[in-house]
Amino acid sequence: MTHKEPTLSISMKKVYVYKAFERFWHWSQAGLIIFLAFTGFEVHGSYKVLGFEHAARFHRVASWMLIGLIIFAIFWHVVTGEWRQYIPTTKKLAAQIRFYMIGMFRGEPHPTKKTGLQKLNPLQRITYLGFKLVLVPITVISGIIYMFHKIIDRNDIIVISSIPLKSVAFWHTLSAFLLIVFLLVHVYMTTTGRTPTSNIQAMITGYDLEEEEEEEPRENKSLTGES
Ligand code: HEM
């Protein structure tokens, strides 16, 4: 008569986390923000690489591309319902605490496992929401005001906005600076995954590996009666 206890084995499961548009949008946005930072700080006078004229022209072209991308991204988030991924939730936080106190002793799954349906942990939700609803809008709106601050109307009269250009430039530069800080912290955080490059790979391929705990019932001939 053989009798062995069941054992826990950990296997890796491939999960589809980031959809094709999401990956395209993520990398295009990253590329455009880096390019806008590069050209913007040349306009600011921090260095001289392309020359002021070129830097300003490229900055404007890239900014229209970013605006176009943001419009597509908003549309995609609304249509697919993916915007819900960013709702900060205390419910999730309670589930997380409950998991550590009770759930894990019962072998329940981790509440913040990364899946296609739930790809962000509570901290990511709040950070990315702030990025999307505060930081990016301040940069884009101040940039648009900057762009149209001095325009010539149909009667050839120069229209100067009532907002002083100095404060527009201040808000735009401040938000640009914070975007760079965000970018640096964000890149660092991506290295804290399963392996230093696993999160970046997931954003390239769409797939991530997830730990899956399986209870493997060992052979128990006395109970099953198998020979
Ligand atoms: C849709 C988004 C954006 C728009 C519409 C925009 C627009 C502008 C405009 C019109 C200027 C003045 C230069 C010029 O006349 O061409 C400017 C300057 C600048 N932009 Fe942007 N921009 C955007 C995004 C960004 C981003 C993402 C960054 C950096 C992360 C950035 C960084 C800067 C900086 C540092 C300056 C120089 C500010 C100064 O010292 O006056 N911009 N931007």
Side-chain angles (χ1 to χ4, degrees):
M1 186 171 77
T2 50
H3 177 85
K4 286 178 187 165
E5 290 297 319
T7 54
L8 275 183
S9 78
I10 296 177
S11 61
M12 300 304 271
K13 192 175 82 175
K14 215 174 172 190
V15 281
Y16 190 50
V17 185
Y18 302 114
K19 297 178 184 80
F21 175 80
E22 200 169 16
R23 284 175 277 142
F24 161 76
W25 157 69
H26 173 271
W27 291 116
S28 320
Q29 178 174 265
L32 283 170
I33 288 177
I34 291 167
F35 185 72
L36 283 159
F38 173 65
T39 50
F41 279 98
E42 173 145 12
V43 170
H44 186 69
S46 305
Y47 42 79
K48 199 170 185 289
V49 180
L50 302 167
F52 180 86
E53 291 296 318
H54 280 107
R57 193 165 347 117
F58 289 149
H59 192 82
R60 282 175 184 234
V61 172
S63 72
W64 284 118
M65 289 168 78
L66 183 64
I67 290 170
L69 188 69
I70 290 171
I71 292 168
F72 271 111
I74 292 172
F75 181 73
W76 180 83
H77 277 84
V78 171
V79 168
T80 59
E82 285 287 312
W83 62 272
R84 289 193 183 88
Q85 299 261 6
Y86 302 87
I87 302 172
T89 169
T90 49
K91 189 176 132 209
K92 193 115 190 287
L93 213 60
Q96 186 84 43
I97 296 164
R98 189 192 165 280
F99 171 78
Y100 287 120
M101 291 176 74
I102 310 163
M104 66 179 188
F105 300 111
R106 292 186 182 162
E108 289 172 14
H110 199 287
T112 55
K113 231 180 233 174
K114 201 199 265 182
T115 68
L117 291 173
Q118 182 190 278
K119 55 184 182 239
L120 305 174
N121 68 45
L123 190 65
Q124 285 174 317
R125 283 184 182 226
I126 189 80
T127 313
Y128 297 164
L129 196 67
F131 175 84
K132 284 165 191 281
L133 296 185
V134 182
L135 199 48
V136 171
I138 292 177
T139 317
V140 173
I141 292 166
S142 60
I144 291 172
I145 297 174
Y146 208 147
M147 208 182 277
F148 294 106
H149 193 265
K150 197 169 136 189
I151 50 170
I152 297 172
D153 73 6
R154 266 191 243 136
N155 304 318
D156 274 359
I157 295 169
I158 294 173
V159 181
I160 297 179
S161 151
S162 56
I163 310 165
L165 188 60
K166 247 188 166 179
S167 49
V168 177
F170 168 79
W171 284 105
H172 196 62
T173 309
L174 178 71
S175 59
F177 182 74
L178 291 176
L179 267 180
I180 293 168
V181 173
F182 171 89
L183 201 79
L184 295 174
V185 176
H186 180 65
V187 172
Y188 167 71
M189 293 301 282
T190 64
T191 65
T192 62
R194 203 173 21 83
T195 70
T197 56
S198 62
N199 284 329
I200 292 173
Q201 275 169 18
M203 194 45 99
I204 295 170
T205 63
Y207 289 93
D208 199 3
L209 290 178
E210 177 189 287
E211 273 185 9
E212 199 183 38
E213 278 186 2
E214 284 170 355
E215 201 171 280
E216 273 184 1
R218 291 251 191 104
E219 55 177 322
N220 188 335
K221 289 176 184 167
S222 65
L223 292 175
T224 60
E226 283 171 29
S227 55

